[in-house]
Amino acid sequence: MKNILVPVGASTNALSNLQYAVDFAEAFGAKLYVVQVYNVYTKAGTMIKIDHILEQDTLDYLNDLVSKVNTKNVEIIVKALKGKFVDTIELACKAAEIDLILIEPRIYSEDEDLFLGKTSGKIVKQTTIPTLIIPDGYVYKPIETILMAVKSALIKKEGVLNPLKAIKDNFKAVVNLLLVKTPYYSEGDFNINDELSNIVSEISYSENPTTYHGVLEHYKSHNPDMLCVVRRKRGFFMKKWEKNQIYKKDFNSSLPVLVLSELK
């Protein structure tokens, strides 16, 4: 894992999230891209564009934020990006060959009833880049145990497990796999290929309405430091991400959540 991107908003948790990102990047010797996306406006009643002002204001804000964290030995690149949020983030990830996006649950929203705000939800739902969600105020610590929960272990995409393998290898973590049989179960969903088999140390099974219900049932017995789930149309968050926002009553986590891209 060489390049990590952190989209920054204006939440009260931005500083804490950035410090976690620095600590996490240091553990991998990775480069950290700290970015904020701004839109282009035209001053009301005139044709004077103010996007250059917005760009400078954005850079000033990001540089001030970076100055308040312990940057350690991490190389940090600050960027003010112009455009539509999700499209711009995806373009930035391709240009910088980003391996992981690290986000806070609510980049702009302060609604305490939400686990994921609209902006964070868009990143998780609409991009294809692996994402690590860091809970508000979470303090970095080495990852010893990871619980990976899926309803199907079938893997057809090359490299989709790379972020999980990188974290496992870097921290020498134990990965436990929870296979959840849901109403969408198909024959062969629990067939595990060699790549996944070589990653996991223990496999457990559960039958629940959703993968999340399976996590709730087995969460305490595994006592993980990180939860790993898969982004897919009928995957972990199913209907919960249809409107991008996720309320805490539907899903909540006090631990980092690694969201892999679709396995198929």
Side-chain angles (χ1 to χ4, degrees):
M1 195 171 297
K2 297 179 180 179
N3 301 304
I4 299 172
L5 183 136
V6 183
V8 174
S11 78
T12 55
N13 188 58
L15 192 62
S16 170
N17 187 69
L18 181 57
Q19 185 62 66
Y20 183 97
V22 170
D23 295 341
F24 188 84
E26 184 192 35
F28 285 88
K31 187 183 298 183
L32 194 64
Y33 289 82
V34 179
V35 306
Q36 188 172 63
V37 178
Y38 68 94
N39 289 312
V40 180
Y41 297 96
T42 301
K43 199 170 183 179
T46 73
M47 295 298 292
I48 302 173
K49 290 187 176 181
I50 61 169
D51 53 298
H52 64 286
I53 300 174
L54 292 173
E55 179 183 15
Q56 190 57 54
D57 286 348
T58 301
L59 286 172
D60 289 345
Y61 170 72
L62 292 176
N63 284 318
D64 179 63
L65 196 67
V66 170
S67 72
K68 294 177 180 176
V69 301
N70 182 355
T71 57
K72 302 183 176 180
N73 296 314
V74 175
E75 181 180 355
I76 298 177
I77 298 173
V78 173
K79 292 285 186 181
L81 305 175
K82 178 174 65 177
K84 293 183 178 179
F85 188 85
V86 172
D87 293 342
T88 304
I89 290 295
E90 283 208 303
L91 286 172
C93 287
K94 289 178 182 178
E97 298 182 340
I98 296 299
D99 301 301
L100 183 72
I101 301 177
L102 195 150
I103 63 171
E104 54 181 309
R106 299 179 302 280
I107 294 177
Y108 287 101
S109 174
E110 296 297 336
D111 187 347
E112 291 296 328
D113 292 331
L114 290 172
F115 170 67
L116 278 189
K118 185 180 292 185
T119 303
S120 300
K122 283 182 179 179
I123 292 175
V124 173
K125 180 180 178 180
Q126 298 180 23
T127 68
T128 58
I129 297 92
T131 305
L132 182 60
I133 308 167
I134 305 302
D136 291 348
Y138 193 84
V139 178
Y140 170 84
K141 65 176 182 178
I143 298 157
E144 297 180 359
T145 305
I146 302 169
L147 175 61
M148 181 182 184
V150 295
K151 74 176 188 67
S152 174
L154 295 178
I155 299 173
K156 296 182 180 179
K157 285 188 177 181
E158 186 177 349
V160 71
L161 294 176
N162 286 349
L164 177 61
K165 287 193 287 188
I167 293 173
K168 168 187 167 60
D169 293 344
N170 189 74
F171 293 105
K172 296 180 172 54
V174 173
V175 178
N176 296 320
L177 177 64
L178 173 63
L179 295 171
V180 183
K181 187 175 183 180
T182 73
Y184 300 99
Y185 174 81
S186 299
E187 191 67 33
D189 274 347
F190 288 176
N191 292 340
I192 300 172
N193 69 4
D194 291 341
E195 183 183 15
L196 183 57
S197 179
N198 290 334
I199 293 175
V200 301
S201 299
E202 178 184 316
I203 302 172
S204 53
Y205 300 85
S206 179
E207 187 166 350
N208 298 93
T210 68
T211 313
Y212 178 48
H213 283 90
V215 169
L216 291 177
E217 182 181 332
H218 291 264
Y219 180 81
K220 290 185 178 179
S221 62
H222 287 277
N223 192 29
D225 300 305
M226 175 180 285
L227 177 64
C228 177
V229 298
V230 176
R231 175 194 294 117
R232 59 157 58 97
K233 292 178 181 178
R234 303 301 299 178
F236 185 74
F237 287 103
M238 265 194 320
K239 296 179 181 178
K240 293 181 178 66
W241 282 352
E242 289 179 1
K243 294 182 180 179
N244 294 320
Q245 295 169 311
I246 300 177
Y247 283 88
K248 289 180 178 178
K249 63 183 178 63
D250 296 319
F251 173 80
N252 197 13
S253 175
S254 59
L255 298 174
V257 180
L258 175 65
V259 185
L260 302 177
S261 58
E262 295 186 55
L263 301 181
K264 299 180 183 179

